[in-house]
Amino acid sequence: MAIVVFKDDNIRVKVPVGMSLRQAAMKTGASIVFGCRVGDCTECASHVSEGMILLSDKTEKELKALEMIESDIADLRLMCQCTVRCEEGEIVISQQF
Ligand code: FES
């Protein structure tokens, strides 16, 4: 299992491959803000400061949604649209912009 760190809340949790970061946030009570939960509203956009490679690739839908809120989206993800894809490593997330 990968380790997900919700930096804003000082939460560390082991997350299995295939689990979305939305599920991980909900499970742990992390303070990530969610709206639509289907990739449309961008409320859940968060910075991934470590471990981006451990997450599923951005879909076209996610890319378009993120480009509407920021020009540099290299470290941005929608928490409702990405899942853990590696067994090992650490993913560090913050919703502070
Ligand atoms: S909750 Fe709306 S895009 Fe994630």
Side-chain angles (χ1 to χ4, degrees):
M1 291 196 211
I3 302 292
V4 173
V5 178
F6 292 105
K7 197 173 167 187
D8 303 336
D9 303 298
N10 279 329
I11 292 172
R12 289 175 68 87
V13 61
K14 288 182 178 177
V15 177
V17 170
M19 180 179 272
S20 74
L21 293 189
R22 181 186 70 79
Q23 291 171 304
M26 303 295 275
K27 180 178 161 191
T28 60
S31 61
I32 303 290
V33 176
F34 292 95
C36 68
R37 301 178 186 202
V38 293
D40 291 333
C41 73
T42 71
E43 284 290 315
C44 66
S46 303
H47 288 281
V48 180
S49 57
E50 292 176 42
M52 182 68 89
I53 196 144
L54 306 177
L55 296 173
S56 58
D57 293 332
K58 291 173 184 162
T59 63
E60 280 299 313
K61 178 179 181 175
E62 185 179 1
L63 282 169
K64 284 181 183 169
L66 290 171
E67 285 167 354
M68 286 192 305
I69 58 170
E70 246 183 69
S71 55
D72 181 3
I73 62 167
D75 72 338
L76 272 186
R77 294 304 303 262
L78 296 177
M79 296 292 99
C80 69
Q81 296 298 297
C82 56
T83 59
V84 171
R85 71 174 171 192
C86 292
E87 285 285 344
E88 292 183 20
E90 189 167 287
I91 302 159
V92 180
I93 293 161
S94 172
Q95 204 167 35
Q96 304 289 326
F97 280 75

